[in-house]
Amino acid sequence: MNPRMLMATTARVLNQLRHDERSIALILVVPSVLLAVVYWLFENETLPPGVPHTFNRIGPIMLAIFPFVIMFLITSITMLRERTSGTLERLMTTPIHKADLLFGYGIAFAVMAALQSVVATGVAYWLFNLDIKGYGGLVVLVAVVNAVLGVSLGLFCSAFARTEFQAVQFMPVVVIPQILLCGLFVARDRMNDVFHAISDWMPLTYSVKALQEITANTDPTAEMWRDLWIMAGVLFGVLVLASLTLRRKSS
Amino acid sequence: MSRSPAHLAGLPSTSTGPSPAIESDGLVVRLRRTEVLHGIGFSVPEGRVTGLLGPSGSGKSTLMRTIMGVQRIASGTLSVLGRPAGTASLRPEIGYMTQNAAVYGDLTVLDNVRYFAALHGKSRAAAREAVDAVGLTGLERRKAVDLSGGQFSRVSLACALVGQPKLLVLDEPTVGLDPVLRVDLWERFRALADQGTTLLVSSHVMEEASRCDTLLLLREGLLVGQMTPDELRERGRSQDLEQAFLGIIQSGSSREESVA
């Protein structure tokens, strides 16, 4: 890795994003709007005494899902464009190392995820009174790890798409099962054994768990750190897979 | 042609100078399963403009991609600046302009060139120079996607120039350009060669062949021959290079390149 090429790539990806108002809005504004929708959906619910508000259950899960889904979508399309426009092949003829490219993307989108998380968490906490007992910085940390996970999955999946339409088709295959099984609709301990086992193998599950730990406990728990480490491990694995799809020579 | 290289007239067509910039022998390249280059051998002299000519589909782009090290070689040898094609140490020394301008449409002209400048360890000033060199002065802040086709491909050329490479491989750089710009670019190529840069320029416009020092004529993945424009006129028995090329193909009088 070369810091100059890494920073140049990060700056280039951020620069591309800066020229694209829609993506900026998708990253920074849409999560807050969706949080508002969920808040007002359950505004007038009547609950037995002692049962927490649905928004307090769903809010943290949404904070975990946003960075993952959005960064997956943006990265897979951006990377597919690199592949089809020929810029990727051109980059491969320059001194840039694959790691500079991968981490350049990772850092750029991690920065955006951090901004996104600060906005979304701030809106959830101050505007909608989401009950977050733990330290807000940890929420951002989980969001960033989650976003980079989305980035690396997006990089990986883009290798198997030829058009932008095909790239978007990975959403229902890769992303929606994770949303279904992460505990958003049914708590994991109430799933049947098969679904529970499958969700054990899905990275989004652990980010949701980590965020639930942060919102429920004042101090970071061992459980939360374990979930974060699992995410980091999956992230590393997917990054290695993604780097294998970046070949200098085509056969 | 006023700029025709008179100083080369006496040189033999194949081996010019002690160290060729590119040398290949029995080069076979397959794209997926299809064999595209069927064992070609040639040498590109250093510090000259070499034209790679042939009809579309003859394997020009594949040969260029192989030289740039992004296409696997099935058999044969290909050395670039004295090292096997694809060697990592070559990458700072070679510049490549792809056929479909490979630049970032959503970045400005200057940001595109600056990125490739940074990858080659060149300064921001170098990026500005490259933009000026391709005649895009005044359009630096324009998004590449908002440019005309000819301007867009010149952004791509600037990105190839900015690293100040020893070897420039340009895949149809003048396609879609108006005649004035085309002349301007060829003069720039000549100036680069005079400073010692080796250029390999592909084209399917035979008229452009007259501006090259030597020509590689490619047809259906075989090297029809390597010669100077004058030799082409002579062997093809026509002053018109297009006619001469057709003449060589039809008469079959050209020496087929040996498959080593």
Side-chain angles (χ1 to χ4, degrees):
Chain A
M1 273 219 284
N2 173 313
R4 176 172 43 81
M5 296 187 201
L6 178 69
M7 289 327 291
T9 305
T10 305
R12 187 263 293 172
V13 174
L14 286 175
N15 209 350
Q16 279 180 288
L17 215 52
R18 192 172 60 93
H19 287 289
D20 185 0
E21 291 90 358
R22 284 190 189 206
S23 295
I24 298 283
L26 179 67
I27 292 172
L28 296 182
V29 183
V30 170
S32 301
V33 173
L34 293 178
L35 274 171
V37 169
V38 172
Y39 178 80
W40 281 311
L41 260 179
F42 293 101
E43 194 183 18
N44 298 319
E45 64 183 340
T46 42
L47 292 163
V51 174
H53 282 286
T54 307
F55 182 71
N56 269 328
R57 187 176 70 79
I58 294 181
I61 301 178
M62 289 183 74
L63 289 178
I65 291 174
F66 290 140
F68 179 74
V69 175
I70 293 178
M71 295 307 166
F72 174 82
L73 189 63
I74 292 183
T75 310
S76 51
I77 297 287
T78 316
M79 198 60 197
L80 186 82
R81 280 197 203 143
E82 285 253 27
R83 290 179 199 272
T84 51
S85 72
T87 47
L88 183 64
E89 182 162 281
R90 181 176 210 162
L91 286 178
M92 291 307 186
T93 70
T94 72
I96 197 171
H97 193 277
K98 283 199 279 186
D100 298 320
L101 193 60
L102 278 173
F103 286 98
Y105 265 98
I107 294 172
F109 286 121
V111 168
M112 293 311 293
L115 287 175
Q116 176 189 60
S117 179
V118 166
V119 173
T121 310
V123 166
Y125 184 78
W126 280 298
L127 226 56
F128 302 128
N129 298 313
L130 180 68
D131 188 16
I132 303 175
K133 293 201 173 63
Y135 174 55
L138 285 173
V139 178
V140 176
L141 176 67
V142 172
V144 167
V145 176
N146 223 354
V148 182
L149 191 65
V151 168
S152 44
L153 263 177
L155 287 173
F156 178 68
C157 287
S158 75
F160 303 98
R162 284 178 169 269
T163 62
E164 294 185 5
F165 184 49
Q166 285 186 347
V168 176
Q169 288 167 355
F170 281 110
M171 282 285 286
V173 179
V174 176
V175 175
I176 292 184
Q178 301 205 48
I179 295 179
L180 286 177
L181 298 181
C182 73
L184 175 63
F185 297 100
V186 176
R188 266 168 34 91
D189 48 22
R190 275 186 280 147
M191 288 177 192
N192 69 37
D193 289 347
V194 176
F195 285 161
H196 194 275
I198 295 173
S199 80
D200 276 345
W201 286 92
M202 293 183 157
L204 194 61
T205 305
Y206 295 94
S207 50
V208 167
K209 272 172 67 187
L211 271 183
Q212 285 168 337
E213 289 288 317
I214 295 167
T215 47
N217 300 284
T218 322
D219 293 312
T221 60
E223 181 78 13
M224 184 215 80
W225 288 118
R226 197 189 66 117
D227 293 337
L228 257 180
W229 278 115
I230 291 174
M231 284 166 66
V234 175
L235 170 62
F236 179 76
V238 180
L239 262 180
V240 169
L241 284 178
S243 78
L244 293 177
T245 68
L246 292 176
R247 294 219 193 100
R248 276 204 192 258
K249 279 191 188 185
S250 50
S251 50
Chain B
M1 285 292 139
S2 60
R3 289 195 162 256
S4 107
H7 59 287
L8 283 176
L11 289 171
S13 56
T14 40
S15 64
T16 16
S19 57
I22 308 171
E23 201 162 29
S24 96
D25 195 14
L27 181 67
V28 175
V29 172
R30 289 192 194 96
L31 282 185
R32 298 183 193 280
R33 295 262 166 78
T34 325
E35 194 171 293
V36 178
L37 299 174
H38 316 289
I40 59 175
F42 62 88
S43 80
V44 170
E46 203 171 27
R48 303 276 156 76
V49 182
T50 301
L52 179 59
L53 290 117
S56 125
S58 56
K60 301 189 296 288
S61 295
T62 302
L63 177 56
M64 291 188 142
R65 292 178 58 249
T66 314
I67 291 168
M68 292 309 293
V70 289
Q71 176 62 52
R72 192 167 290 128
I73 295 169
S75 67
T77 60
L78 177 65
S79 82
V80 178
L81 304 175
R83 283 152 278 174
T87 307
S89 69
L90 280 173
R91 286 176 208 138
E93 299 172 31
I94 53 181
Y96 178 39
M97 178 185 171
T98 47
Q99 194 167 9
N100 303 316
V103 296
Y104 298 99
D106 42 6
L107 289 185
T108 65
V109 172
L110 194 58
D111 284 338
N112 264 297
V113 184
R114 270 188 188 158
Y115 179 48
F116 284 93
L119 298 185
H120 280 100
K122 299 287 185 240
S123 65
R124 288 167 160 246
R128 203 166 267 281
E129 253 172 57
V131 171
D132 292 341
V134 297
L136 288 176
T137 318
L139 297 172
E140 296 97 336
R141 305 259 163 234
R142 200 80 79 77
K143 257 171 127 179
V145 76
D146 296 333
L147 300 172
S148 75
Q151 290 167 337
F152 194 75
S153 75
R154 275 184 286 155
V155 179
S156 184
L157 180 60
C159 294
L161 292 177
V162 75
Q164 290 160 353
K166 285 183 194 159
L167 169 67
L168 260 177
V169 176
L170 308 175
D171 200 349
E172 310 231 358
T174 57
V175 137
L177 294 188
D178 62 77
V180 179
L181 264 173
R182 198 179 290 189
V183 169
D184 185 59
L185 276 187
W186 276 101
E187 281 174 1
R188 221 171 276 285
F189 299 160
R190 174 58 55 201
L192 282 167
D194 288 345
Q195 290 159 25
T197 308
T198 306
L199 288 98
L200 181 65
V201 185
S202 78
S203 176
H204 63 258
V205 186
M206 290 303 290
E207 177 263 321
E208 298 193 319
S210 61
R211 297 182 168 274
C212 303
D213 297 323
T214 71
L215 304 173
L216 298 171
L217 303 181
L218 212 56
R219 184 173 176 260
E220 290 174 356
L222 285 168
L223 195 68
V224 176
Q226 177 166 13
M227 58 196 80
T228 66
D230 284 338
E231 285 171 327
L232 175 59
R233 288 192 187 94
E234 195 182 306
R235 284 207 228 166
R237 295 192 182 86
S238 171
Q239 281 307 296
D240 182 77
L241 287 169
E242 181 124 24
Q243 286 302 319
F245 184 52
L246 288 172
I248 284 191
I249 289 169
Q250 280 157 7
S251 70
S253 64
S254 69
R255 90 204 127 89
E256 286 284 297
E257 283 295 310
S258 59
V259 182

